[in-house]
Amino acid sequence: MTSIHDVAEATGVSTATVSRALRGLPNVSPRTRELVRAAATQLGYVPSPSASGLSGGRHHAVAIVIPSTARWFYVTVVEGVDSVLRRENYDTFLVILAATATDRERLFNNALLRKRADAVIALGIDFTAEERRELRTVGMPAIVVGSPVRGVRSVGIDDLAAGKLAMDHLLALGHRRIGHLGGETEWGMDHSVGQDRSQAWRSALRNVGIEPEPHWYALGGFLMPPAKAAALEMLASEQRPTAIFAGSDEMAFGAMLAAAELGLRVPEDLSVIGIDDHDWSESFGLTTVKQDPRDQGRVAARSVVDELSGAEEVTDRVTTAAVTLVVRRSTAPPAGQSEPDGRTSTRPPG
Amino acid sequence: MTSIHDVAEATGVSTATVSRALRGLPNVSPRTRELVRAAATQLGYVPSPSASGLSGGRHHAVAIVIPSTARWFYVTVVEGVDSVLRRENYDTFLVILAATATDRERLFNNALLRKRADAVIALGIDFTAEERRELRTVGMPAIVVGSPVRGVRSVGIDDLAAGKLAMDHLLALGHRRIGHLGGETEWGMDHSVGQDRSQAWRSALRNVGIEPEPHWYALGGFLMPPAKAAALEMLASEQRPTAIFAGSDEMAFGAMLAAAELGLRVPEDLSVIGIDDHDWSESFGLTTVKQDPRDQGRVAARSVVDELSGAEEVTDRVTTAAVTLVVRRSTAPPAGQSEPDGRTSTRPPG
DNA sequence: CTGAAAGCGCTAACAA
DNA sequence: TTGTTAGCGCTTTCAG
């Protein structure tokens, strides 16, 4: 395990100079720097993060915490985060965090956050006031991906607006009986994402004078299987909706699968729209409100890296990521109305 | 940042004793141990991994490397790994590794593997001889999840057997024209998983005297969208297969979606079988060869943790995980043959 | 521009 | 059973 001493010896300079040279600090003669660099690569030297972390206080690692690996959004953000972190030579700690209080407590009392990572990127977590205070105290850069959290930087879409975009599309098509597949809210998790999207559904309906019926709303937990089950029930009802707005594409897939199982054609008998633009949505022919989680991950990572590099308070407190409507084959005017254009209606892919 | 000194002072013992007491080492009086423990929690002390890593050589972290986040198998294994690592108080480094040589080189020359992690768990990676030697040299425990790799411990299913199970099911149903959706093989990645499953398909066919036709085989890259595209093409051919064996459930979903798009009913017009038992397979009604990646992850993590705990060469070199056939609604005898039982055939969920 | 020295927080002999 | 003494490998003043 070659150490900084070996490089110093090989070069004939002090370890201090080696350290400076390798980290690109000023006040090192070009010649010396080159010599040191050459020796380092020649010897296959890499600095020990433990040692530099201990002495310098920077660990060159950031923790990314997600509630589960089961949702496309989370793992896709992780991929984005990882890509910039790797390029910047940071290592990535992955923390999969259940919603339980003990799990979260452990996280915050853990060495990981206190003495191991230089920053945290949290997904779908709603920090408590105390947690925020802790972060502040330790002076640890933190950013949330998802809906804004008071006092913490964040990047994410405007869920209300995204929901409105989806609903406007459905309403413009002529739908009035519109169902919704929403997410559940666990304590301290994902607080507003699901709520805001559901709220958008409710408001949009009321804005056109429709009071949403209870059985038009069901919980899909942001996962496909429970969403399918919920949709099955919703679609079995007497006055079933002519369209479903799902709070995520994965839940929308569930709706499409449910429709297929009931012999309902999409979009002839049922329109379906989601939010995300999941990697599979195009194959499903799903109309959706597209967001770019990979990019949000990159932005978040860039943000903490910049802050760690000393850039003074670079980013905005809350960065709003763009959304766009992507119309595919899962939405059309409700039965009885003529189609507005020549789109061919295919069989339901679900 | 309270340190071991604070605890020592508060307790009136030396730092060495604190260290011993907290780590549960022998030769500490029960009374002292209690005192130390109390002081530690009271002060909110947590040891610095950098410091103990530097002095002790154990970092209490393991690296898990995966080729991408886009495949259910990988992220699900990660979840299993993470769960036991967390319970054992290890932190998890996530490394997402492209197949490129430079990416892999960087991994091995990185501080991460050399001076930061105590062990590696690799998914879908085929270590080169040199890489294996490096691991050996550093004395770093390593385990592969997936198909066996020479000289490295591994846990995974028998892909040949899994493929045979799938094919036997289809053959027993009476299918003879059976197509296959296989995975691509990138350099150093996933070498045999895809190959073995494809091989199982080919062999099974030949064993019953059928020479697989070229257009019965297509590459799906282990991802749904390309698999769907491939299936679309395969099913458009004149003498299309009556059944498709997909190398993974995600690719099987693609086949089901393709069938639906072509107006083919599953299973009446086309049977589909996969491997995995993906979280969504039940909702798709997909017949599959079930494996348990979460558990494989747990086994892998347990294995390296045990080895790090000094257990001498505990686990077998290669652990074979179980597979079982799960029959659902996507398979049936080919058209023209009577159904063996009273299963109702539903519309294709894809 | 470079070196010497102190110290980051912990563990590991070696004594006591 | 417990304390003392060295480091682990690096960064960081402070001198020069």
Side-chain angles (χ1 to χ4, degrees):
Chain A
M1 199 103 333
T2 122
S3 84
I4 199 174
H5 271 104
D6 304 317
V7 181
E9 240 168 55
T11 326
V13 299
S14 70
T15 61
T17 300
V18 173
S19 176
R20 286 191 280 251
L22 256 24
R23 283 181 302 152
L25 295 190
N27 294 331
V28 176
S29 80
R31 185 185 144 61
T32 307
R33 199 187 296 280
E34 254 333 295
L35 252 38
V36 171
R37 279 210 184 113
T41 57
Q42 204 268 317
L43 295 173
Y45 166 71
V46 293
S48 151
S50 293
S52 49
L54 191 52
S55 60
R58 299 242 88 80
H59 301 278
H60 257 78
V62 352
I64 171 166
V65 7
I66 61 176
S68 96
T69 58
R71 280 167 58 180
W72 175 80
F73 179 81
Y74 295 144
V75 300
T76 306
V77 170
V78 167
E79 200 184 300
V81 166
D82 181 86
S83 70
V84 352
L85 252 28
R86 180 160 326 291
R87 194 177 326 124
E88 299 289 336
N89 268 302
Y90 276 80
D91 288 321
T92 307
F93 281 112
L94 178 68
V95 181
I96 302 175
L97 194 66
T100 67
T102 52
D103 237 47
R104 299 183 51 149
E105 229 171 84
R106 199 175 334 150
L107 170 66
F108 272 85
N109 298 326
N110 223 354
L112 177 54
L113 249 47
R114 318 252 318 256
K115 318 195 167 178
R116 197 153 211 190
D118 297 327
V120 215
I121 297 175
L123 279 61
I125 307 281
D126 185 10
F127 289 119
T128 65
E130 169 152 1
E131 288 166 347
R132 274 179 269 133
R133 197 170 40 65
E134 275 205 69
L135 289 173
R136 197 72 39 79
T137 308
V138 196
M140 174 177 281
I143 189 168
V144 164
V145 180
S147 38
V149 169
R150 272 204 345 174
V152 186
R153 234 171 321 146
S154 69
V155 44
I157 65 171
D158 179 336
D159 291 295
L160 241 21
K164 183 167 177 343
L165 204 52
M167 287 299 292
D168 283 352
H169 174 67
L170 257 20
L171 290 167
L173 247 20
H175 291 278
R176 287 302 174 268
R177 309 182 58 81
I178 303 176
H180 178 61
L181 256 18
E184 271 145 31
T185 302
E186 290 181 280
W187 176 81
M189 312 297 273
D190 261 340
H191 58 319
S192 54
V193 172
Q195 280 174 32
D196 284 358
R197 295 180 186 177
S198 299
Q199 186 51 48
W201 163 73
R202 218 179 311 270
S203 304
L205 244 25
R206 290 192 177 138
N207 278 347
V208 293
I210 302 172
E211 183 56 30
E213 299 193 21
H215 71 276
W216 291 357
Y217 177 78
L219 261 22
F222 276 110
L223 296 172
M224 192 279 257
K228 182 196 167 194
L232 234 26
E233 204 169 333
M234 186 186 297
L235 294 173
S237 63
E238 272 308 289
Q239 285 278 40
R240 63 171 173 76
T242 62
I244 288 182
F245 161 43
S248 76
D249 279 8
E250 282 153 285
M251 293 196 283
F253 298 157
M256 295 176 90
L257 253 28
E261 199 160 308
L262 294 172
L264 298 173
R265 294 161 306 162
V266 173
E268 291 84 348
D269 305 319
L270 180 77
S271 283
V272 179
I273 190 171
I275 291 183
D276 272 349
D277 200 28
H278 186 289
D279 285 343
W280 295 6
S281 295
E282 170 147 27
S283 294
F284 266 89
L286 177 66
T287 295
T288 191
V289 175
K290 176 190 180 81
Q291 65 169 323
D292 188 345
R294 229 167 308 251
D295 190 59
Q296 292 174 41
R298 279 186 229 115
V299 169
R302 172 71 48 210
S303 163
V304 297
V305 166
D306 283 352
E307 184 168 345
L308 288 171
S309 311
E312 59 255 28
E313 282 294 329
V314 250
T315 1
D316 302 326
R317 298 307 291 177
V318 10
T319 306
T320 303
V323 295
T324 54
L325 179 70
V326 177
V327 179
R328 289 198 268 246
R329 310 185 312 275
S330 69
T331 48
Q337 301 203 204
S338 60
E339 293 219 20
D341 59 33
R343 265 181 298 149
T344 40
S345 46
T346 45
R347 298 268 311 290
Chain B
M1 199 102 333
T2 123
S3 87
I4 199 172
H5 271 105
D6 305 315
V7 181
E9 239 166 56
T11 327
V13 300
S14 70
T15 60
T17 300
V18 173
S19 176
R20 287 190 279 250
L22 258 22
R23 284 182 300 153
L25 295 189
N27 294 333
V28 177
S29 81
R31 185 183 143 63
T32 306
R33 198 185 298 276
E34 253 334 295
L35 252 39
V36 170
R37 279 211 183 112
T41 57
Q42 204 267 317
L43 295 173
Y45 166 71
V46 293
S48 151
S50 292
S52 50
L54 190 52
S55 61
R58 297 243 88 78
H59 302 276
H60 257 77
V62 352
I64 170 163
V65 8
I66 62 176
S68 96
T69 60
R71 280 168 58 177
W72 175 81
F73 179 82
Y74 295 144
V75 299
T76 305
V77 170
V78 168
E79 201 184 299
V81 166
D82 180 86
S83 70
V84 352
L85 252 27
R86 183 160 326 290
R87 193 178 327 122
E88 299 289 337
N89 269 302
Y90 276 81
D91 289 320
T92 307
F93 281 111
L94 178 68
V95 181
I96 302 175
L97 195 65
T100 67
T102 51
D103 237 47
R104 301 184 49 150
E105 227 170 84
R106 196 173 338 149
L107 171 67
F108 273 85
N109 297 327
N110 224 357
L112 178 55
L113 249 48
R114 318 254 316 256
K115 318 196 166 174
R116 199 154 208 191
D118 297 328
V120 216
I121 297 176
L123 279 61
I125 306 282
D126 186 11
F127 289 119
T128 65
E130 169 153 3
E131 288 166 346
R132 274 180 270 134
R133 196 169 42 63
E134 274 204 68
L135 289 174
R136 197 72 41 78
T137 309
V138 196
M140 174 176 281
I143 189 168
V144 164
V145 180
S147 38
V149 169
R150 268 203 349 172
V152 185
R153 235 173 319 149
S154 69
V155 44
I157 66 172
D158 179 336
D159 291 295
L160 240 22
K164 183 169 180 334
L165 205 52
M167 286 300 290
D168 283 352
H169 174 66
L170 256 21
L171 290 167
L173 247 19
H175 291 278
R176 287 300 175 271
R177 308 182 59 81
I178 302 175
H180 178 62
L181 255 18
E184 270 145 29
T185 302
E186 290 181 281
W187 176 81
M189 313 295 274
D190 262 340
H191 59 319
S192 54
V193 171
Q195 280 176 30
D196 284 358
R197 295 180 187 177
S198 297
Q199 186 52 48
W201 164 74
R202 217 178 311 269
S203 303
L205 244 24
R206 290 192 176 139
N207 278 347
V208 295
I210 301 171
E211 183 56 29
E213 298 192 21
H215 71 277
W216 292 357
Y217 177 78
L219 261 21
F222 276 110
L223 297 172
M224 192 278 259
K228 182 196 167 194
L232 235 25
E233 202 168 336
M234 187 186 297
L235 294 173
S237 62
E238 271 309 290
Q239 284 277 39
R240 64 170 172 78
T242 62
I244 288 182
F245 161 42
S248 75
D249 280 7
E250 283 153 285
M251 292 195 283
F253 298 157
M256 295 175 90
L257 253 27
E261 198 160 308
L262 294 173
L264 298 173
R265 294 161 307 161
V266 174
E268 291 84 347
D269 304 319
L270 179 76
S271 283
V272 178
I273 190 169
I275 290 184
D276 270 349
D277 200 27
H278 187 288
D279 287 343
W280 293 6
S281 295
E282 170 147 27
S283 295
F284 266 89
L286 177 67
T287 294
T288 190
V289 175
K290 176 192 180 81
Q291 65 169 324
D292 188 343
R294 228 168 308 253
D295 190 60
Q296 290 173 40
R298 281 186 226 113
V299 169
R302 171 72 47 211
S303 162
V304 296
V305 165
D306 283 351
E307 183 167 347
L308 289 171
S309 310
E312 59 255 27
E313 281 294 329
V314 250
T315 0
D316 302 328
R317 297 309 290 179
V318 11
T319 306
T320 302
V323 295
T324 54
L325 180 69
V326 177
V327 178
R328 288 199 271 247
R329 309 186 312 275
S330 69
T331 48
Q337 299 206 206
S338 59
E339 293 217 20
D341 59 33
R343 266 180 299 147
T344 40
S345 46
T346 44
R347 298 268 312 291

